[in-house]
PDB file of all heavy atoms in Angstrom:
ATOM      1  N   PHE A  35      96.277  87.440  53.578  1.00  0.00           N
ATOM      2  CA  PHE A  35      97.553  87.585  52.871  1.00  0.00           C
ATOM      3  C   PHE A  35      97.982  86.142  52.520  1.00  0.00           C
ATOM      4  O   PHE A  35      98.373  85.362  53.391  1.00  0.00           O
ATOM      5  CB  PHE A  35      98.590  88.276  53.765  1.00  0.00           C
ATOM      6  CG  PHE A  35      98.273  89.651  54.119  1.00  0.00           C
ATOM      7  CD1 PHE A  35      97.781  89.951  55.431  1.00  0.00           C
ATOM      8  CD2 PHE A  35      98.418  90.726  53.197  1.00  0.00           C
ATOM      9  CE1 PHE A  35      97.478  91.240  55.737  1.00  0.00           C
ATOM     10  CE2 PHE A  35      98.169  92.034  53.565  1.00  0.00           C
ATOM     11  CZ  PHE A  35      97.696  92.279  54.820  1.00  0.00           C
ATOM     12  N   ASN A  38      97.085  83.261  54.938  1.00  0.00           N
ATOM     13  CA  ASN A  38      96.965  83.856  56.268  1.00  0.00           C
ATOM     14  C   ASN A  38      95.647  84.674  56.326  1.00  0.00           C
ATOM     15  O   ASN A  38      95.636  85.806  55.829  1.00  0.00           O
ATOM     16  CB  ASN A  38      98.230  84.684  56.531  1.00  0.00           C
ATOM     17  CG  ASN A  38      98.216  85.240  57.970  1.00  0.00           C
ATOM     18  OD1 ASN A  38      97.336  84.933  58.786  1.00  0.00           O
ATOM     19  ND2 ASN A  38      99.194  86.099  58.291  1.00  0.00           N
ATOM     20  N   VAL A  40      93.720  86.994  58.021  1.00  0.00           N
ATOM     21  CA  VAL A  40      93.950  87.890  59.180  1.00  0.00           C
ATOM     22  C   VAL A  40      92.618  88.428  59.691  1.00  0.00           C
ATOM     23  O   VAL A  40      92.355  88.318  60.864  1.00  0.00           O
ATOM     24  CB  VAL A  40      94.860  89.024  58.699  1.00  0.00           C
ATOM     25  CG1 VAL A  40      95.087  90.066  59.770  1.00  0.00           C
ATOM     26  CG2 VAL A  40      96.229  88.498  58.245  1.00  0.00           C
ATOM     27  N   LYS A  59      95.762  91.059  70.794  1.00  0.00           N
ATOM     28  CA  LYS A  59      97.154  90.568  70.849  1.00  0.00           C
ATOM     29  C   LYS A  59      97.903  91.005  69.561  1.00  0.00           C
ATOM     30  O   LYS A  59      97.324  91.278  68.507  1.00  0.00           O
ATOM     31  CB  LYS A  59      97.136  89.086  70.883  1.00  0.00           C
ATOM     32  CG  LYS A  59      96.665  88.498  72.141  1.00  0.00           C
ATOM     33  CD  LYS A  59      96.750  86.987  72.145  1.00  0.00           C
ATOM     34  CE  LYS A  59      96.012  86.336  73.294  1.00  0.00           C
ATOM     35  NZ  LYS A  59      95.069  85.337  72.859  1.00  0.00           N
ATOM     36  N   SER A  60      99.190  91.075  69.708  1.00  0.00           N
ATOM     37  CA  SER A  60     100.056  91.437  68.552  1.00  0.00           C
ATOM     38  C   SER A  60      99.786  90.433  67.408  1.00  0.00           C
ATOM     39  O   SER A  60      99.668  89.221  67.621  1.00  0.00           O
ATOM     40  CB  SER A  60     101.506  91.308  69.087  1.00  0.00           C
ATOM     41  OG  SER A  60     102.356  91.800  68.103  1.00  0.00           O
ATOM     42  N   GLY A  61      99.680  90.995  66.272  1.00  0.00           N
ATOM     43  CA  GLY A  61      99.464  90.180  65.004  1.00  0.00           C
ATOM     44  C   GLY A  61      98.035  89.803  64.746  1.00  0.00           C
ATOM     45  O   GLY A  61      97.777  89.073  63.817  1.00  0.00           O
ATOM     46  N   CYS A  62      97.063  90.358  65.546  1.00  0.00           N
ATOM     47  CA  CYS A  62      95.661  89.888  65.343  1.00  0.00           C
ATOM     48  C   CYS A  62      94.977  90.707  64.278  1.00  0.00           C
ATOM     49  O   CYS A  62      93.803  90.450  63.941  1.00  0.00           O
ATOM     50  CB  CYS A  62      94.898  90.050  66.659  1.00  0.00           C
ATOM     51  SG  CYS A  62      94.527  91.759  67.139  1.00  0.00           S
ATOM     52  N   GLY A  63      95.664  91.694  63.642  1.00  0.00           N
ATOM     53  CA  GLY A  63      95.086  92.354  62.492  1.00  0.00           C
ATOM     54  C   GLY A  63      94.663  93.781  62.731  1.00  0.00           C
ATOM     55  O   GLY A  63      93.951  94.412  61.911  1.00  0.00           O
ATOM     56  N   LYS A  64      95.075  94.403  63.883  1.00  0.00           N
ATOM     57  CA  LYS A  64      94.637  95.775  64.202  1.00  0.00           C
ATOM     58  C   LYS A  64      95.155  96.761  63.155  1.00  0.00           C
ATOM     59  O   LYS A  64      94.339  97.619  62.638  1.00  0.00           O
ATOM     60  CB  LYS A  64      95.126  96.142  65.559  1.00  0.00           C
ATOM     61  CG  LYS A  64      94.737  95.229  66.657  1.00  0.00           C
ATOM     62  CD  LYS A  64      95.304  95.669  68.018  1.00  0.00           C
ATOM     63  CE  LYS A  64      96.773  95.620  68.149  1.00  0.00           C
ATOM     64  NZ  LYS A  64      97.390  94.261  68.091  1.00  0.00           N
ATOM     65  N   SER A  65      96.420  96.695  62.827  1.00  0.00           N
ATOM     66  CA  SER A  65      96.973  97.694  61.824  1.00  0.00           C
ATOM     67  C   SER A  65      96.392  97.404  60.461  1.00  0.00           C
ATOM     68  O   SER A  65      96.183  98.367  59.673  1.00  0.00           O
ATOM     69  CB  SER A  65      98.516  97.579  61.850  1.00  0.00           C
ATOM     70  OG  SER A  65      99.033  97.940  63.055  1.00  0.00           O
ATOM     71  N   THR A  66      96.169  96.162  60.188  1.00  0.00           N
ATOM     72  CA  THR A  66      95.584  95.844  58.819  1.00  0.00           C
ATOM     73  C   THR A  66      94.197  96.478  58.764  1.00  0.00           C
ATOM     74  O   THR A  66      93.822  97.056  57.695  1.00  0.00           O
ATOM     75  CB  THR A  66      95.447  94.312  58.710  1.00  0.00           C
ATOM     76  OG1 THR A  66      96.788  93.728  58.831  1.00  0.00           O
ATOM     77  CG2 THR A  66      94.803  93.918  57.386  1.00  0.00           C
ATOM     78  N   LEU A  67      93.408  96.427  59.842  1.00  0.00           N
ATOM     79  CA  LEU A  67      92.116  97.041  59.842  1.00  0.00           C
ATOM     80  C   LEU A  67      92.239  98.564  59.606  1.00  0.00           C
ATOM     81  O   LEU A  67      91.465  99.129  58.797  1.00  0.00           O
ATOM     82  CB  LEU A  67      91.361  96.733  61.126  1.00  0.00           C
ATOM     83  CG  LEU A  67      89.944  97.326  61.327  1.00  0.00           C
ATOM     84  CD1 LEU A  67      89.028  96.732  60.306  1.00  0.00           C
ATOM     85  CD2 LEU A  67      89.451  97.041  62.728  1.00  0.00           C
ATOM     86  N   ARG A  69      94.634 100.108  58.091  1.00  0.00           N
ATOM     87  CA  ARG A  69      95.094 100.365  56.685  1.00  0.00           C
ATOM     88  C   ARG A  69      93.976 100.256  55.737  1.00  0.00           C
ATOM     89  O   ARG A  69      93.901 101.008  54.765  1.00  0.00           O
ATOM     90  CB  ARG A  69      96.257  99.492  56.340  1.00  0.00           C
ATOM     91  CG  ARG A  69      97.609  99.912  56.902  1.00  0.00           C
ATOM     92  CD  ARG A  69      98.775  99.369  56.142  1.00  0.00           C
ATOM     93  NE  ARG A  69      98.777  97.946  56.111  1.00  0.00           N
ATOM     94  CZ  ARG A  69      99.234  97.166  57.052  1.00  0.00           C
ATOM     95  NH1 ARG A  69      99.765  97.676  58.160  1.00  0.00           N
ATOM     96  NH2 ARG A  69      99.162  95.820  56.989  1.00  0.00           N
ATOM     97  N   GLU A  75      94.911  99.553  51.877  1.00  0.00           N
ATOM     98  CA  GLU A  75      94.866  98.152  51.631  1.00  0.00           C
ATOM     99  C   GLU A  75      93.488  97.823  51.222  1.00  0.00           C
ATOM    100  O   GLU A  75      92.507  98.413  51.709  1.00  0.00           O
ATOM    101  CB  GLU A  75      95.192  97.459  53.019  1.00  0.00           C
ATOM    102  CG  GLU A  75      95.570  96.072  52.953  1.00  0.00           C
ATOM    103  CD  GLU A  75      97.102  95.889  52.880  1.00  0.00           C
ATOM    104  OE1 GLU A  75      97.822  96.137  53.840  1.00  0.00           O
ATOM    105  OE2 GLU A  75      97.494  95.531  51.753  1.00  0.00           O
TER     106      GLU A  75
HETATM  107  N1  ADP B   1     101.418  93.421  53.660  1.00  0.00           N
HETATM  108  C1  ADP B   1     101.389  92.235  54.310  1.00  0.00           C
HETATM  109  N2  ADP B   1     101.779  91.132  53.655  1.00  0.00           N
HETATM  110  C2  ADP B   1     101.706  89.894  54.264  1.00  0.00           C
HETATM  111  N3  ADP B   1     101.242  89.748  55.521  1.00  0.00           N
HETATM  112  C3  ADP B   1     100.899  90.804  56.235  1.00  0.00           C
HETATM  113  C4  ADP B   1     100.926  92.152  55.645  1.00  0.00           C
HETATM  114  N4  ADP B   1     100.451  93.021  56.603  1.00  0.00           N
HETATM  115  C5  ADP B   1     100.187  92.297  57.703  1.00  0.00           C
HETATM  116  N5  ADP B   1     100.441  90.963  57.510  1.00  0.00           N
HETATM  117  C6  ADP B   1     100.156  89.867  58.447  1.00  0.00           C
HETATM  118  O1  ADP B   1      98.909  90.104  59.009  1.00  0.00           O
HETATM  119  C7  ADP B   1      98.871  89.760  60.386  1.00  0.00           C
HETATM  120  C8  ADP B   1      98.303  90.949  61.137  1.00  0.00           C
HETATM  121  O2  ADP B   1      99.242  92.043  61.076  1.00  0.00           O
HETATM  122  P1  ADP B   1      98.901  93.395  61.721  1.00  0.00           P
HETATM  123  O3  ADP B   1      97.595  93.952  61.217  1.00  0.00           O
HETATM  124  O4  ADP B   1     100.092  94.226  61.547  1.00  0.00           O
HETATM  125  O5  ADP B   1      98.713  92.987  63.308  1.00  0.00           O
HETATM  126  P2  ADP B   1      98.627  93.890  64.603  1.00  0.00           P
HETATM  127  O6  ADP B   1      98.664  95.328  64.192  1.00  0.00           O
HETATM  128  O7  ADP B   1      97.402  93.472  65.308  1.00  0.00           O
HETATM  129  O8  ADP B   1      99.859  93.562  65.417  1.00  0.00           O
HETATM  130  C9  ADP B   1     100.235  89.303  60.767  1.00  0.00           C
HETATM  131  O9  ADP B   1     100.328  87.959  60.688  1.00  0.00           O
HETATM  132  C10 ADP B   1     101.115  90.001  59.667  1.00  0.00           C
HETATM  133  O10 ADP B   1     102.298  89.230  59.447  1.00  0.00           O
END
Side-chain angles (χ1 to χ4, degrees):
F35 296 102
N38 185 5
V40 176
K59 292 182 193 129
S60 188
C62 74
K64 304 179 296 294
S65 295
T66 301
L67 180 63
R69 281 203 302 277
E75 198 89 72

